[in-house]
């Protein structure tokens, strides 16, 4: 932890020197003030983390310092030093925001105990502040990336439409069609990104309610593979199924559909012409394991660690022309964890990749 700077406001010189000696020996930075005005001006100038404030000062009472500290929003916990530690004064000072008390006369051990407690509090506050700032930074970064990801295709669509309006395609219906098809492709990409974002925020905010039910995983996988058939055919990728129906589970079908749709989609998307995708599934005891393997472009080791991070996309010559949001695997991992399972990946760059999802066959709740 960074140094803690303590201010001692007391009119008795012996008190100031005594506190300084004890606290400096503990490695604290100590400043002192002999009256309220000096103390307040030091507090206002910043750089003080904790103040020890005498209840009775020559120019004002210690309580009014608490008032000022609070009304000026100075973020400094104060320990009141009082000669007559009555219950009333304790209650009054606490109401004004005093962090703690020390009754005069006190021993070095008592001083240390009070200061240690306050320092622990300061440490926790600093940590909370740091986390808050980190959260803000992450949120801003998220907004920045999303805005960029939406702006780029929108600008492209705008460009195409401008060209059309300016007569670029003339009267040739084929030219019109080509341009409109490109617009549509970009719009589709934007819609998918927004759908992914909605999935992600629903999961993150905890508002996504899982609805587990009796289901057959084999039937779900059959369905997903069928949906991707045209896409696989276009890329001359063969999809093989290695599982025996039924595979009974008690799980949220919607969530599993998102998980395996993403994995199968990636296995085809990041494959090569004439490649293969294998979907394996089996139930063993209380667990179900699904493996989606491909003979595609593979993932470099340094990229493998970041795969499940939001917006991460590997940048290699092979992936350059493949569209995507980089959100799919982040969503997959969150859903798998929500379902009490885990996901692993094995890959060899240039050879292929296998994602393995293990889930409890019967989800609780
Ligand atoms: N089966 C795979 N083979 C090779 N690379 C993959 C595979 N699956 C995912 N990746 C890499 O991980 C990145 C993140 O995947 P994902 O989160 O699904 O986002 P997207 O597919 O939208 O890019 C991809 O951009 C790609 O670089
Ligand atoms: Mg994907």
């Amino acid at each position: 932890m960074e140094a803690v700077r303590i201010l001692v406001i007391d009119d008795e010189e012996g008190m100031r020197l005594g506190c300084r000696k004890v606290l400096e020996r503990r490695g604290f930075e100590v400043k002192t003030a002999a009256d309220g005005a000096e103390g307040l001006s030091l507090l206002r100038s910043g750089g003080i983390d904790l103040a020890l404030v005498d209840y009775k000062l020559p120019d004002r009472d210690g309580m009014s310092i608490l008032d000022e500290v609070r009304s000026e929003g100075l973020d400094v916990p104060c320990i009141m030093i009082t000669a007559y530690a009555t219950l009333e004064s304790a209650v009054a000072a606490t109401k004004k925001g005093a962090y703690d008390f020390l009754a005069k006369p006190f021993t070095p051990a008592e001083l240390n105990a009070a200061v240690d407690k306050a320092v622990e509090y300061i440490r926790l506050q600093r940590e909370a502040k740091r986390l808050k700032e980190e959260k803000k930074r992450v949120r801003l970064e998220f907004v920045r990336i999303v805005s960029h990801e939406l702006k780029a295709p929108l600008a492209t669509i705008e460009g195409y439409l401008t060209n059309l309006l300016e007569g670029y395609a003339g009267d040739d219906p084929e030219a019109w069609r080509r341009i409109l098809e490109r617009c549509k492709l970009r719009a589709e990409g934007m819609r998918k990104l927004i759908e992914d974002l909605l999935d992600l925020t629903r999961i993150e905010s905890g508002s996504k309610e899982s609805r587990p039910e009796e289901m057959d995983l084999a039937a779900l996988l059959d369905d997903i593979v069928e949906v991707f058939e045209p896409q696989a055919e276009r890329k001359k990728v063969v999809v093989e199924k290695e599982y025996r129906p039924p595979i009974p589970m008690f799980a949220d079908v919607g969530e599993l559909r998102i998980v395996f749709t993403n994995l199968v989609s990636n296995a085809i998307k990041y494959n090569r012409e004439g490649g293969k995708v294998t979907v394996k599934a089996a139930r063993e005891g209380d667990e179900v394991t699904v493996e989606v393997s491909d003979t595609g472009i593979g993932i470099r080791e340094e990229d493998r660690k970041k795969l499940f991070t939001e917006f991460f996309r590997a940048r290699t010559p092979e992936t350059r022309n493949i569209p995507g949001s980089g959100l799919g695997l982040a969503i997959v991992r969150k859903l798998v964890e929500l379902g009490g399972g885990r996901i692993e990946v094995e890959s060899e760059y240039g050879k292929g990749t296998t994602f393995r999802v293990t889930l409890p066959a019967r989800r609780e709740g």
Side-chain angles (χ1 to χ4, degrees):
M1 176 165 161
E2 310 151 45
V4 174
R5 296 150 302 183
I6 304 178
L7 172 64
V8 181
I9 311 177
D10 199 306
D11 54 328
E12 283 174 50
E13 198 187 3
M15 196 63 187
R16 294 197 300 273
L17 291 176
C19 288
R20 179 193 283 284
K21 208 170 115 197
V22 171
L23 295 173
E24 278 185 347
R25 208 182 297 143
R26 302 273 320 278
F28 297 116
E29 265 175 46
V30 180
K31 282 187 178 160
T32 58
D35 57 40
E38 192 190 351
L40 266 175
S41 88
L42 281 170
L43 280 169
R44 287 195 186 108
S45 64
I48 302 289
D49 302 307
L50 170 66
L52 299 174
V53 184
D54 189 15
Y55 210 88
K56 249 191 149 55
L57 291 163
D59 55 338
R60 60 198 302 164
D61 72 50
M63 295 286 261
S64 74
I65 292 189
L66 289 184
D67 278 336
E68 301 276 333
V69 164
R70 202 161 61 164
S71 72
E72 289 177 29
L74 300 169
D75 191 15
V76 182
C78 296
I79 297 176
M80 292 302 289
I81 303 175
T82 125
Y84 24 78
T86 62
L87 189 59
E88 295 95 275
S89 60
V91 169
T94 309
K95 270 195 188 144
K96 289 193 190 291
Y99 176 73
D100 203 355
F101 288 94
L102 266 173
K104 271 187 201 173
F106 49 80
T107 63
E110 283 165 336
L111 173 63
N112 281 331
V115 167
D116 283 348
K117 203 172 100 191
V119 166
E120 176 61 12
Y121 167 78
I122 293 166
R123 197 186 61 74
L124 289 176
Q125 280 216 319
R126 282 184 184 171
E127 181 63 12
K129 193 168 156 209
R130 200 188 55 72
L131 283 177
K132 206 169 137 194
E133 271 159 16
E134 172 69 9
K135 231 167 119 182
K136 188 170 155 198
R137 198 190 57 72
V138 169
R139 200 171 55 226
L140 287 176
E141 178 66 6
F142 193 86
V143 172
R144 192 186 66 75
I145 296 174
V146 171
S147 312
H148 177 80
E149 292 296 319
L150 289 174
K151 188 181 156 195
L154 205 52
T156 309
I157 293 173
E158 200 181 334
Y160 282 137
L161 293 178
T162 308
N163 286 350
L164 281 183
L165 289 171
E166 284 175 357
Y168 175 83
D171 296 332
D172 179 5
E174 254 320 295
W176 275 78
R177 191 182 172 78
R178 267 201 310 275
I179 292 176
L180 288 175
E181 261 168 5
R182 279 185 212 148
C183 287
K184 182 167 172 247
L185 207 67
R186 292 304 191 128
E188 222 174 81
M190 289 175 72
R191 178 174 51 75
K192 281 193 183 138
L193 169 63
I194 292 170
E195 278 167 5
D196 282 352
L197 281 170
L198 287 172
D199 277 342
L200 199 67
T201 43
R202 263 199 295 272
I203 304 166
E204 290 271 274
S205 67
S207 70
K208 172 147 195 351
E209 254 181 64
S210 300
R211 289 183 211 285
E213 59 183 297
E214 300 292 346
M215 57 160 291
D216 175 13
L217 176 66
L220 175 66
L221 293 175
D222 282 346
D223 191 45
I224 293 171
V225 169
E226 196 184 319
V227 169
F228 279 100
E229 216 99 89
Q231 202 169 314
E233 251 164 50
R234 251 176 279 137
K235 226 176 149 158
K236 303 202 169 47
V237 168
V238 183
V239 183
E240 287 187 352
K241 302 190 278 190
E242 288 186 15
Y243 48 79
R244 254 188 314 242
I247 306 175
M249 280 184 86
F250 183 70
D252 185 312
V253 189
E255 287 176 8
L256 294 190
R257 182 181 288 279
I258 295 175
V259 168
F260 298 117
T261 295
N262 269 295
L263 294 181
V264 173
S265 151
N266 283 346
I268 297 170
K269 226 162 71 162
Y270 301 106
N271 220 310
R272 51 182 93 250
E273 279 228 0
K276 198 168 90 175
V277 172
T278 312
V279 182
K280 277 193 209 176
R283 176 167 175 170
E284 275 169 41
D286 300 337
E287 283 188 336
V288 169
T289 302
V290 180
E291 271 182 24
V292 180
S293 314
D294 64 65
T295 56
I297 61 177
I299 305 164
R300 291 179 301 196
E301 198 189 337
E302 66 262 37
D303 290 337
R304 241 172 283 156
K305 295 181 213 108
K306 298 177 235 154
L307 275 187
F308 299 97
T309 320
E310 280 139 29
F311 300 110
F312 174 77
R313 307 200 69 217
R315 281 176 202 281
T316 62
E318 298 87 2
T319 57
R320 190 171 326 139
N321 293 316
I322 304 176
S325 67
L327 288 174
L329 289 176
I331 294 171
V332 165
R333 180 169 67 180
K334 290 205 168 104
L335 287 177
V336 168
E337 285 173 357
L338 205 65
R342 58 185 187 278
I343 180 162
E344 293 145 298
V345 58
E346 273 161 34
S347 186
E348 200 174 329
Y349 186 49
K351 287 252 170 75
T353 306
T354 297
F355 283 92
R356 183 180 309 106
V357 175
T358 310
L359 288 161
R362 297 198 68 81
R363 176 157 173 187
E364 279 143 43

